[in-house]
Amino acid sequence: MTGARAGNDRRGLMDRREWLRLGATGAAALGLPACAAREGDASAELPPLRAPAGTGDADWDDVRANFLVEPGTAYLNNASIGMPPRQVVDAVAAGYRAMAELPARGRSDLGARIAEHVVPGLADLFSVQPDELTLTRNASEALHLQSIGVALSSGDEVLITSQEHPAGRRPWEFRQVREGVRVNEVFIPSPLPPEEEILSRFEDAITPRTRAVAFCHVTRGGHLYPVEAICGLARERGLVSLVDGAQAVGQFPVDLTSLGCDAYSVSLHKWMLAPAGTGFLFVRRDARDRIRTAFAPDATPEQPQFGPPGTAAFPVRAAIGTAVDFVATLGLEAVEARCRFLSDHLKSRLAEVNGVTLLSGARDRSAPGSTIFEKEDLDAVAAVGAIEASISSHIDEHQRDGHNAIRISTHIYNTTEQVDRFVEALARTTG
Ligand SMILES: Cc1ncc(COP(=O)(O)O)c(C=O)c1O
């Protein structure tokens, strides 16, 4: 158990379970009006949430009952945005209602929940200290904050990789244009080469002017970078390490302290099933001398004040706690196993389709939920449109990193029947 986990008091855990048991809104815990507590309380009829015993569809039936997606729709684009369970949706609504009915009390109750429950819950789940986390609106905001926070002079160099999301790349391009910082791109092939090759590509790119490395934990295509090893190399060379964890958290356990990065940026509205508009920035305590706030001239290492000032979407942030409880009750190991079960099923079915080339790597190099592949003579963008029109589904193209690929990203609530329906539509789709 990490210090952060051990340090998290048992009362907090009980509070979180209680909140989840309250289901639809947790309104009583917030002291919300009774009408808010009743609204949308369909989850009262749901079986109690517990970690399923296995990875198969039937094992996850009770969990699936918590999601609101239209029956018949195969939502296979979870790497883009996840579907919050009904408890999360209801918690957002109840929070706004509380602020509308009793603005001062509603706001202070939500603020207390964010400080006492949401942030400690996230810190516990990701093995850090609560004061190392700053809530943000998304990963892009966190990536921007972590990038602009590093003190750099004109001519200093930053390494990024060829597979970064624009949200990870743009803040550096901004600094390149505004401040003359040099952004050097390390080419990382897709499918991923072995770890040693990735590391030697980084090593070869380091020069005496390199100050920081910034890269994804999991790429948009689902490739899993050897993040601990890259952070270790950065530490050895005295470089700041900044990680984009948007596609990682919520799919499998992540221990941010063990990863050894200086900063890590997160989306909570993808695999973590939190409401849209949520994320966080982690800055390790002993990196606060190298990563500074852009907002507060009076910030200190004890009060780093990374977040932009001003009124936040309190109900949305408070509802993160409901999503954290949901995921923590299932357990991230169980979520990983279920996501892996579904993507393994997809991969075995894709092997039956003529002309398909799988681009996702082996287990140690691919995230559990995202799979990319190409089909001979098939334009991925056109195929996505055609398949979405032929069966009720949501999928994505991956025309990048030299590929003309389709990406399927499966989460716990998907089923093998949905995957089969997709594969059959793919087999029928030509040109
Ligand atoms: C790797 C990666 N980084 C960053 C982002 C941006 O995330 P957000 O929408 O939370 O800003 C995404 C979104 O898809 C992503 O895939």
Side-chain angles (χ1 to χ4, degrees), residues 79-80 138-141 143 165 167-168 216 218-220 244 246-247 266-267 269-270 278 407:
S80 170
N138 45 50
S140 303
E141 184 174 285
L143 286 160
H165 187 278
C216 306
V218 171
T219 69
R220 278 185 285 177
D244 172 358
Q247 290 292 352
V266 168
S267 272
H269 43 226
K270 295 182 189 288
T278 53
R407 179 183 72 186

Side-chain angles (χ1 to χ4, degrees), residues 145-296:
L145 297 178
Q146 72 181 26
S147 308
I148 57 177
V150 182
L152 295 171
S153 310
S154 175
D156 283 348
E157 295 173 6
V158 174
L159 300 183
I160 65 170
T161 84
S162 53
Q163 295 194 38
E164 298 314 308
H165 187 278
R169 172 183 299 276
R170 294 285 290 159
W172 298 114
E173 290 171 350
F174 179 82
R175 295 199 67 173
Q176 181 159 278
V177 172
R178 285 281 174 95
E179 301 169 51
V181 167
R182 293 188 53 190
V183 184
N184 291 343
E185 187 178 285
V186 180
F187 177 72
I188 304 290
S190 171
L192 286 191
E195 178 175 323
E196 311 78 66
E197 183 182 330
I198 295 177
L199 284 180
S200 76
R201 284 175 180 270
F202 271 96
E203 288 212 65
D204 292 349
I206 295 171
T207 76
R209 290 305 300 265
T210 309
R211 301 284 177 261
V213 288
F215 56 95
C216 306
H217 190 167
V218 171
T219 69
R220 278 185 285 177
H223 297 317
L224 182 63
Y225 277 5
V227 60
E228 247 179 283
I230 302 170
C231 292
L233 172 68
R235 214 168 29 254
E236 257 172 55
R237 301 301 184 89
L239 311 177
V240 179
S241 55
L242 307 154
V243 181
D244 172 358
Q247 290 292 352
V249 299
Q251 277 201 74
F252 54 90
V254 173
D255 180 329
L256 290 177
T257 298
S258 304
L259 284 186
C261 55
D262 292 315
Y264 192 97
S265 289
V266 168
S267 272
L268 292 168
H269 43 226
K270 295 182 189 288
W271 299 93
M272 274 298 293
L273 309 174
T278 53
F280 71 76
L281 167 67
F282 158 72
V283 178
R284 68 189 296 133
R285 262 191 198 154
D286 61 13
R288 286 176 189 166
D289 56 341
R290 285 174 295 161
I291 303 171
R292 310 280 298 277
T293 178
F295 303 107

Side-chain angles (χ1 to χ4, degrees), residues 61-145:
D61 277 349
D62 286 353
V63 174
R64 192 172 314 107
N66 290 278
F67 292 89
L68 297 161
V69 69
E70 287 179 332
T73 297
Y75 184 71
L76 303 170
N77 193 11
N78 294 282
S80 170
I81 192 155
M83 291 189 299
R86 69 175 74 214
Q87 293 90 334
V88 172
V89 175
D90 292 345
V92 174
Y96 276 111
R97 181 153 198 145
M99 284 184 66
E101 290 183 357
L102 285 171
R105 168 81 195 277
R107 178 179 164 157
S108 67
D109 283 354
L110 290 164
R113 177 162 166 77
I114 293 165
E116 291 162 20
H117 182 91
V118 173
V119 174
L122 288 167
D124 190 31
L125 196 62
F126 298 111
S127 306
V128 298
Q129 299 298 328
D131 73 349
E132 293 177 306
L133 298 186
T134 302
L135 294 179
T136 61
R137 290 176 301 139
N138 45 50
S140 303
E141 184 174 285
L143 286 160
H144 200 82
L145 297 178

